[in-house]
Amino acid sequence: MTFQLEPKIEDYILSHSAGYSTAAKAIVDETSALGDPAVMILAKEQYVFFRFIARLLQTKRVLDVGTFTGLSALAFAEGIPHYGQVVTIDREDAEWLEIARRNWDRAGVTNRIDVHIGEAENELKKLSNERTEPFDIIFLDVDKARTQQYFDLSLPLVADEGLILVDNSLWHRWVLDPERLDPDTAGTRDFNDNLQHDTRVEVVMLPIGDGLTLARPTR
Ligand SMILES: C[S@@+](CC[C@H](N)C(=O)[O-])C[C@H]1O[C@@H](n2cnc3c(N)ncnc32)[C@H](O)[C@@H]1O
């Protein structure tokens, strides 16, 4: 979701940028019909940005952590060549994934997407143990309390010239409120503070969606 922009500015930006594909629009519409969980869906400007950078960086392999109804996986799958691969991880294997699969089919990208059902921590460790080929882009969008842990597990999996994207860096702007000490806010705030001094990466935080952090390995 978008939290940072006034609606008028947001409308202007979105109407002057690339838009949803037919399948992406269908995911958004079907996700809206779910009610409350729809708040989790990727913001439109992030969808177009992810597809754009996947194309720009000539990305071949993506790790998408947090599938939900499949919009981020679709953005990456649409931005990579037909022989590329998106590995997407989620603990849920239900109605949400049906929406994703139906629309990945509609977009003709199902063969580029490999779904791993399980806890993010376990799945990241499995990929590490399998010594999988490095990923060009890793996108982290699961429970915010443990972002640091997922980031540390992701760093060895990303290519030297690759990119880790972390969603919800501003977490509804609550990171700025010292009274908010719930695990998700504290996890995000601590992660942001630590990353500032983390010499393993160079970091840029962008005010799009609910805040998006880009981290590039310095190794
Ligand atoms: C914010 S949504 C992901 C949104 C998605 N990237 C998109 O493009 O719309 C977060 C997803 O992460 C999953 N999730 C949360 N914590 C998890 C964990 N520890 N391990 C695996 N999946 C998790 C939830 O089931 C949910 O589908």
Side-chain angles (χ1 to χ4, degrees), residues 91 119-121 140-152 166-169 171-172 174-175 180-192 194:
R91 55 156 73 123
E119 282 299 312
E121 181 180 349
L140 299 180
D141 191 14
V142 282
D143 56 304
K144 309 303 164 186
R146 294 192 295 163
T147 297
Q148 182 71 60
Q149 198 178 341
Y150 303 137
F151 185 85
D152 290 341
V166 185
D167 203 10
N168 305 99
S169 321
W171 195 234
H172 309 252
W174 293 332
V175 287
R180 284 211 71 119
L181 299 169
D182 60 276
D184 288 332
T185 307
T188 306
R189 190 188 291 122
D190 290 348
F191 172 71
N192 291 342
N194 293 340

Side-chain angles (χ1 to χ4, degrees), residues 191-206:
F191 172 71
N192 291 342
D193 291 347
N194 293 340
L195 210 56
Q196 206 40 40
H197 307 288
D198 191 335
T199 55
R200 299 173 299 172
V201 285
E202 181 186 8
V203 173
V204 175
M205 191 187 286
L206 297 179

Side-chain angles (χ1 to χ4, degrees), residues 36-172:
D36 290 346
V39 72
M40 292 197 290
I41 199 167
L42 191 76
K44 185 175 183 183
E45 66 268 28
Q46 291 180 303
Y47 163 79
V48 294
F49 181 61
F50 289 176
R51 189 181 54 191
F52 182 93
I53 56 168
R55 286 180 182 146
L56 183 74
L57 301 176
Q58 301 182 351
T59 303
K60 311 271 185 315
R61 277 173 60 74
V62 179
L63 178 58
D64 171 63
V65 188
T67 316
F68 186 39
T69 51
L71 189 59
S72 50
L74 178 68
F76 292 123
E78 289 176 332
I80 62 175
H82 65 89
Y83 54 84
Q85 187 191 29
V86 177
V87 174
T88 185
I89 296 172
D90 206 293
R91 55 156 73 123
E92 300 278 343
D93 176 14
E95 197 187 349
W96 298 347
L97 196 52
E98 276 176 38
I99 294 176
R101 288 193 196 279
R102 188 163 52 244
N103 290 297
W104 295 338
D105 268 350
R106 189 193 295 248
V109 297
T110 297
N111 61 349
R112 297 176 206 172
I113 302 179
D114 190 4
V115 178
H116 292 203
I117 301 295
E119 282 299 312
E121 181 180 349
N122 297 342
E123 296 305 313
L124 288 167
K125 285 182 178 163
K126 268 193 225 166
L127 287 166
S128 198
N129 292 338
E130 287 163 8
R131 296 184 179 280
T132 185
E133 205 184 310
F135 292 96
D136 304 310
I137 295 178
I138 300 181
F139 175 48
L140 299 180
D141 191 14
V142 282
D143 56 304
K144 309 303 164 186
R146 294 192 295 163
T147 297
Q148 182 71 60
Q149 198 178 341
Y150 303 137
F151 185 85
D152 290 341
L153 289 167
S154 297
L155 204 47
L157 297 174
V158 76
D160 290 350
E161 305 299 325
L163 183 62
I164 301 181
L165 304 167
V166 185
D167 203 10
N168 305 99
S169 321
L170 299 172
W171 195 234
H172 309 252

Side-chain angles (χ1 to χ4, degrees), residues 10-48:
E10 184 191 350
D11 286 349
Y12 186 84
I13 289 173
L14 293 179
S15 63
H16 291 79
S17 293
Y20 286 131
S21 64
T22 305
K25 180 72 172 65
I27 288 183
V28 171
D29 291 345
E30 291 179 40
T31 305
S32 297
L34 295 174
D36 290 346
V39 72
M40 292 197 290
I41 199 167
L42 191 76
K44 185 175 183 183
E45 66 268 28
Q46 291 180 303
Y47 163 79
V48 294

